[in-house]
């Protein structure tokens, strides 16, 4: 045989095959299996470069007609390969790693994992469609990762700042007394000099000054990120950020969970499970019960929690629901679980079937001026303040339902 020996595979061009790929940082290991029998046809490693991806696809195509390819870690190591395969029109299936029982039975090598990925697709155990990661949602996700890390660093720095004040020398602690707000404490600490005769107070001043400057830097850093995230979220899905209680970061986390192709999620129940807000059956024998779902995307779950908490404080309909359920004997945690499931349903429909026309603040302002109504008059009608109506009109505040209510009331108001 020569290196041209594999050309004999061209005699099997009518054969249908399924691929499997075990992904890594530098090398992907691929396997090709017969779709009808599951028999392993061939395996081979390929570099994780554009040329390697093209070579992998050409190699699989040489073995027959590709039905679909199962790829592990489509959101990390396999993201580049997934984008390449989708661009080539190949159907990609997201495959989880083999379970522990299968690994104890069959062992663990990259080749075994690649074959297992192909067979998981053939058997129907793996059916998930991966996120495309090629649109504005992926851009939002990248920014949200940096924002989340910066927020965590800021919180840690503030805790360190307050801990140092507690153990600081008395004179220094008095200058940063408790009746000062954090903002004023930080402003004062940024002006500290370290030319003090006492060594401890000298270095404590230096430490507080450095922490205050770090917090100032992180505040500016987060402000830039937040402005960019808000701009992208509003441009991508204005209906989502217009829902009651949904802010830019909650919307960004939910968009990241759904991906650029939310249609891959088959139903609102599947989206609820993805977010970890569907009740899990935990029945046995004569006992029928459900337990809390601790799975799913925890960032998306946290976003739903934030939305529900906001609505419980500000939304009249939600407050009425909470009162009714409380009189029925439900605890606050149980009520919040019900509300999170409801919000997940609402958000799923907005993501998969967004409204084509939305009432904008500019339209409301134009009709209000045409009718000769002041901001105060509209604010009084809706039991809020004039600045909130102004923020809605200028696009600084997003609440689709409130805008629709204001638009309807103003449109039916007689001319003054």
């Amino acid at each position: 045989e020569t290196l041209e020996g594999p050309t004999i595979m061209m005699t099997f061009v009518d054969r249908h095959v399924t691929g499997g790929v075990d992904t890594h940082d530098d090398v992907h290991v691929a396997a090709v299996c017969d779709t009808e029998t599951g028999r392993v046809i061939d395996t081979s490693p390929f570099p994780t470069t554009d040329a390697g991806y093209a070579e992998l696809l050409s190699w699989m195509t040489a073995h027959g007609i590709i039905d679909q390819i199962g790829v592990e870690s489509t959101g990390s190591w396999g993201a580049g390969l997934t984008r390449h395969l989708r661009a080539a029109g190949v159907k990609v299936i997201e495959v989880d790693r083999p379970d522990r029982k299968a690994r104890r039975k069959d062992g663990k090598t990259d080749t075994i994992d690649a074959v297992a990925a192909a067979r998981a697709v053939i058997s129907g155990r793996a059916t998930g469609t991966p996120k495309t990661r090629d649109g504005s949602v992926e851009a939002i996700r990248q920014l949200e990762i940096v924002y989340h890390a910066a927020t965590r660093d800021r919180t840690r720095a503030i805790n360190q700042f307050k801990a140092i004040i507690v153990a600081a020398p008395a004179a220094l602690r008095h200058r940063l007394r408790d009746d000062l707000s954090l903002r004023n404490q930080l402003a004062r600490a940024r002006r500290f000099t370290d030319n003090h005769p006492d060594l401890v107070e000298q270095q404590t001043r230096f430490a507080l000054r450095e922490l205050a400057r770090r917090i100032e830097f992180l505040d500016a850093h987060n402000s830039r990120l937040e402005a960019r995230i808000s701009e992208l979220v509003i441009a991508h899905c204005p209906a989502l950020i217009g829902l009651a209680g949904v802010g830019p970061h909650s919307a960004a986390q939910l968009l990241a969970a759904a991906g650029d192709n939310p249609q891959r999620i088959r139903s609102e129940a599947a989206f609820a499970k993805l977010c970890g807000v569907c009740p899990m059956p935990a029945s046995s024998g004569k006992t029928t019960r459900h337990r809390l779902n601790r799975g799913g995307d925890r960032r998306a779950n946290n976003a739903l929690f934030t939305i529900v908490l906001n609505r419980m404080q500000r939304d009249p309909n939600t407050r009425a629901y909470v009162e009714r359920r409380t009189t029925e004997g439900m605890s606050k945690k149980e009520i919040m679980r019900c509300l999170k499931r409801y919000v997940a349903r609402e958000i799923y429909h907005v993501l998969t079937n967004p409204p084509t026309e939305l009432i904008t603040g500019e339209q409301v302002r134009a009709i209000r001026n045409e009718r000769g109504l002041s901001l105060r008059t509209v604010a009084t009608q809706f039991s809020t303040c004039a600045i909130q109506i102004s923020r809605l009109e200028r696009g600084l505040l997003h609440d689709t339902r409130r805008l629709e209510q204001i638009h309807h009331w103003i449109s039916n108001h007689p001319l003054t």
Side-chain angles (χ1 to χ4, degrees):
E1 293 185 8
T2 66
L3 292 178
E4 285 73 19
T7 56
I8 60 174
M9 287 182 281
M10 295 304 291
T11 60
F12 303 111
V13 291
D14 293 333
R15 176 174 55 191
H16 286 257
V17 298
T18 299
V21 184
D22 182 41
T23 58
H24 294 278
D25 187 14
D26 299 320
V27 176
H28 293 339
V29 177
V32 179
C33 295
D34 190 295
T35 301
E36 293 184 0
T37 64
R39 180 178 62 87
V40 179
I41 298 173
D42 199 1
T43 62
S44 181
F46 297 92
T48 56
T49 61
D50 289 340
Y53 300 153
E55 184 183 356
L56 183 151
L57 181 57
S58 177
W59 172 79
M60 285 191 178
T61 305
H63 288 83
I65 301 171
I66 300 176
D67 289 334
Q68 45 196 356
I69 299 177
V71 180
E72 289 187 3
S73 305
T74 58
S76 53
W77 302 122
L81 176 62
T82 300
R83 282 192 288 266
H84 181 89
L85 294 174
R86 288 179 61 90
V90 178
K91 183 177 181 181
V92 180
I93 302 297
E94 187 173 9
V95 179
D96 293 330
R97 66 179 184 179
D99 58 27
R100 293 181 179 179
K101 182 178 179 181
R103 283 192 166 173
R104 283 196 298 267
K105 178 182 177 182
D106 301 327
K108 166 73 175 76
T109 66
D110 295 343
T111 301
I112 290 175
D113 287 349
V115 172
R119 287 176 171 168
V121 174
I122 293 172
S123 66
R125 294 197 310 273
T127 59
T129 302
K131 300 174 186 177
T132 58
R133 298 185 182 276
D134 57 0
S136 55
V137 172
E138 179 64 11
I140 292 169
R141 189 184 74 87
Q142 300 290 358
L143 294 176
E144 189 65 24
I145 290 172
V146 181
Y147 179 87
H148 178 74
T151 302
R152 187 176 56 221
D153 291 343
R154 180 182 182 275
T155 301
R156 186 183 294 117
I158 290 174
N159 291 339
Q160 292 170 349
F161 182 84
K162 289 184 173 294
I164 290 176
I165 291 176
V166 170
L172 185 58
R173 190 171 65 249
H174 178 71
R175 292 190 63 183
L176 300 172
R177 56 189 181 277
D178 292 337
D179 58 345
L180 284 177
S181 65
L182 175 63
R183 182 178 179 179
N184 290 334
Q185 287 178 332
L186 292 172
R188 183 167 292 183
R190 284 194 293 270
R191 296 192 299 269
F192 279 165
T193 59
D194 51 1
N195 54 352
H196 195 275
D198 182 71
L199 178 63
V200 174
E201 182 161 344
Q202 177 189 111
Q203 300 307 320
T204 302
R205 286 173 174 231
F206 177 79
L208 289 171
R209 187 181 67 199
E210 292 301 307
L211 280 173
R213 289 177 177 177
R214 183 192 302 174
I215 294 167
E216 182 183 32
F217 167 79
L218 290 171
D219 283 339
H221 175 73
N222 282 351
S223 295
R224 293 192 300 271
L225 284 170
E226 189 163 8
R228 189 163 291 199
I229 290 171
S230 299
E231 180 182 348
L232 288 172
V233 169
I234 294 169
H236 179 78
C237 191
L240 175 60
I241 202 171
L243 295 177
V246 180
H249 297 292
S250 298
Q253 290 166 3
L254 292 166
L255 284 170
D260 283 293
N261 51 335
Q263 291 75 17
R264 70 191 179 89
I265 305 172
R266 296 181 179 87
S267 65
E268 54 92 10
F271 181 72
K273 189 168 185 179
L274 174 65
C275 297
V277 295
C278 65
M280 300 296 290
S283 303
S284 179
K286 297 180 180 180
T287 302
T288 302
R289 71 183 186 92
H290 291 78
R291 66 168 176 83
L292 178 67
N293 187 346
R294 296 178 178 85
D297 188 323
R298 303 316 297 174
R299 297 283 298 278
N301 188 285
N302 178 261
L304 292 175
F305 175 84
T306 303
I307 294 167
V308 167
L309 201 62
N310 187 292
R311 289 187 179 187
M312 290 174 68
Q313 295 172 350
R314 295 181 173 87
D315 185 54
N317 294 334
T318 303
R319 292 173 67 89
Y321 174 84
V322 171
E323 292 177 3
R324 178 170 62 84
R325 291 301 234 171
T326 302
T327 57
E328 294 174 359
M330 292 183 68
S331 66
K332 183 179 179 180
K333 285 186 177 180
E334 291 172 332
I335 295 171
M336 292 190 73
R337 290 173 192 166
C338 294
L339 287 170
K340 283 164 72 175
R341 180 65 178 83
Y342 169 80
V343 173
R345 180 184 301 115
E346 185 180 12
I347 287 171
Y348 172 78
H349 290 300
V350 169
L351 291 177
T352 56
N353 189 26
T356 55
E357 295 184 4
L358 292 173
I359 302 298
T360 65
E362 293 179 357
Q363 292 173 331
V364 170
R365 172 182 287 179
I367 297 177
R368 179 177 62 79
N369 290 334
E370 179 186 331
R371 300 282 175 173
L373 298 172
S374 66
L375 288 171
R376 185 180 298 278
T377 302
V378 178
T380 303
Q381 172 65 26
F382 290 92
S383 303
T384 185
C385 55
I387 188 62
Q388 292 294 90
I389 303 298
S390 176
R391 286 169 59 82
L392 279 170
E393 291 183 350
R394 289 180 290 156
L396 302 177
L397 186 65
H398 302 275
D399 190 334
T400 302
R401 185 168 58 183
R402 177 55 62 90
L403 278 174
E404 289 175 349
Q405 292 171 347
I406 295 173
H407 183 270
H408 178 74
W409 181 78
I410 293 176
S411 299
N412 293 296
H413 194 278
L415 290 171
T416 58

